[in-house]
Structure formats: structure tokens, C-alpha cells
Amino acid sequence: MTRQQLLLHGGQHLPYTLKVSARRRTIGLRVDANGLTVHIPRRVPKTTLEQLLRDKSDWILRKLGEWQERPAAFEWRDGATLQFLGNDITLSLRQDSRNRALTFDGAQLIVAQPDPTDMLAVRRKVAQWYAKAARADFTRRIELLAAKLGVPTPPVFLSNAKTRWGSCNSRGEIRLHWRLVQAPPHIIHYVVAHELAHLKEMNHSPQFWAWVAMLCPDYARARAELKDLSASLHLL
Ligand SMILES: [Zn+2]
């Protein structure tokens, strides 16, 4: 694997990673978060490769541009800042060959594992911790607000839906996104109030919003804040 650079006709430099593989028969191009990677069989003349890259340069530059416009993914490293109930908490990664515990002291989320650079394992553990915390937090809020609304406490499920923070189906089951537990409490309160109000009105009529307002008087502000916050809550 080597880092290469090609000078395009427009004077632009195109950096790429070159991977030579004995098993390949054709040249393959891939553009992702790491930029352009070119897989080639052995014994491909450099001029052939460079001609192909020049021929495909419009496509390559367009794909590279698309990746640059994406929001940056969360960086799983020691000292990274996470959000929990609207507060900044610090991710602390520790090497420990025997203990694989995850502990939270209110300011730091400490993840111990034999290989602290195993980011997939860190990510899985942290997501599990968030899901557990989300279930506890959402369940308590639903109990409190359901009592206030005068309805039986509905069953609650965690969701991982890309497009919505909460939902309520015709069976009266409520689903809330686990990532919502990163948000400040008043925002979670609004989403819970919104879904519970659907137990009274399965629509977004003025009567529905009146129920929401009964549970969450400042719902309009919380709703707008959630909209602004959404992209950052999805980073994790
Ligand atoms: Zn709704």
C-alpha cells in the first residue's frame, strides 16, 4: 500500500492510495472517507493506470466532493467529548487485560479493555451503555407523564430509526430513539410528551397540540431546538 499523487490536466493534484494485489485481474477504484483507493493487479504499467485515472477524474472528483460534504463522523479516541442528557462527558479509554468494565462517574465514561485501540469494541460498549441509560430515563419520564395525562403507562421500546426521534403506533406502543438520551432533559421531555399525546389523538390536530402543551408548556421551543440538534445527535 503506497500513497501516490497524480497531476491532472487542470493542474489539480489527485492523491490516492495504491494497493497491489496478486489476486486481482482488473483495476478497481473506491472513494470513501479515506479518499481514493486504487486496487490494481500486478504488472500494470504506470501509464495505463494514470490514463485510467485521468479518464475517470470527473467521477472521482465528484465522489470525493460528496464525502467532504458529509458531517464528520464521531472520533472514538481517549479524551473525546460525548453528550449525555445535554452535558459534556469525557470518554476515557484504559488498557486493562483483565477488566473489561465500563464505568461512569458523572463526568467520565471510562472504558477498560485489553486493547484500548479496538474502536469497534469501544463503540459497541458505549452504545450499549447509552441504550441502557436511555431505557431507564425514558421509562421514568413516560410513567410520570402518563400519570399526568391520565392514561395507563404504555410499553416503551428503543428505536434506531434514522428519520424520527419517537413514534407511537395504533397499538399504543411508544418507540424512542436511544440517541435521544444525549439531548438535554427538556428536549427528551418534549418528545415523550409528543408521543404520549398520540394516545389521546392519533394525528397532529390542534387538539393533539393542546395535549402536548398540557404536558410540556414550552413545547414549541423544545421542538425547534431538537430540529437544530438532530444532526449532532446522529454523529455518535
Ligand atoms: Zn407526532
Side-chain angles (χ1 to χ4, degrees):
M1 181 176 123
T2 54
R3 294 294 293 162
Q4 306 280 332
Q5 216 178 62
L6 173 69
L7 182 61
L8 296 173
H9 290 310
Q12 202 173 353
H13 289 275
L14 176 66
Y16 62 96
T17 305
L18 187 64
K19 289 188 178 173
V20 182
S21 157
R23 282 170 302 147
R24 280 200 80 94
R25 312 208 67 135
T26 56
I27 298 177
L29 306 180
R30 200 184 67 216
V31 176
D32 60 19
N34 300 314
L36 171 64
T37 307
V38 183
H39 295 267
I40 59 167
R42 270 193 229 178
R43 287 189 289 274
V44 169
K46 194 162 188 188
T47 48
T48 305
L49 173 63
E50 294 197 337
Q51 189 54 53
L52 178 99
L53 293 180
R54 286 203 176 90
D55 290 346
K56 299 262 183 197
S57 62
D58 284 351
W59 177 86
I60 294 167
L61 294 175
R62 183 163 49 80
K63 286 283 167 194
L64 286 171
E66 284 171 15
W67 273 98
Q68 273 158 13
E69 280 159 24
R70 289 187 189 210
F74 183 76
E75 223 184 299
W76 293 91
R77 56 170 176 78
D78 184 50
T81 302
L82 295 161
Q83 294 289 312
F84 182 60
L85 295 172
N87 296 312
D88 285 354
I89 61 170
T90 306
L91 178 65
S92 175
L93 302 180
R94 303 210 177 145
Q95 201 276 327
D96 193 322
S97 46
R98 277 180 298 176
N99 185 3
R100 296 165 172 272
L102 185 151
T103 44
F104 178 55
D105 68 5
Q108 284 192 92
L109 189 61
I110 303 155
V111 182
Q113 54 184 28
D115 176 8
T117 64
D118 181 351
M119 291 306 141
L120 277 178
V122 171
R123 189 179 176 166
R124 194 172 55 236
K125 274 187 194 170
V126 172
Q128 276 167 0
W129 178 78
Y130 268 102
K132 201 174 163 199
R135 186 177 294 282
D137 182 276
F138 301 165
T139 302
R140 208 180 131 262
R141 279 179 215 281
I142 285 191
E143 280 167 6
L144 291 170
L145 291 186
K148 200 169 173 189
L149 193 63
V151 296
T153 302
V156 185
F157 301 92
L158 292 185
S159 95
N160 196 18
K162 272 271 176 288
T163 51
R164 56 216 313 210
W165 291 111
S167 64
C168 178
N169 65 21
S170 56
R171 291 190 299 281
E173 298 166 346
I174 288 180
R175 282 180 171 71
L176 297 166
H177 202 303
W178 64 269
R179 286 186 169 89
L180 192 61
V181 79
Q182 297 171 96
H186 70 281
I187 305 248
I188 304 174
H189 181 104
Y190 157 68
V191 178
V192 169
H194 182 122
E195 300 313 331
L196 277 174
H198 279 312
L199 296 176
K200 293 282 192 185
E201 293 283 336
M202 260 307 183
N203 51 50
H204 292 118
S205 61
Q207 293 94 313
F208 164 80
W209 288 109
W211 286 115
V212 177
M214 193 270 263
L215 298 173
C216 179
D218 211 5
Y219 75 88
R221 193 171 61 97
R223 196 173 174 222
E225 279 180 46
L226 177 59
K227 229 174 178 175
D228 291 341
L229 206 64
S230 277
S232 71
L233 298 181
H234 275 297
L235 275 184
L236 193 64

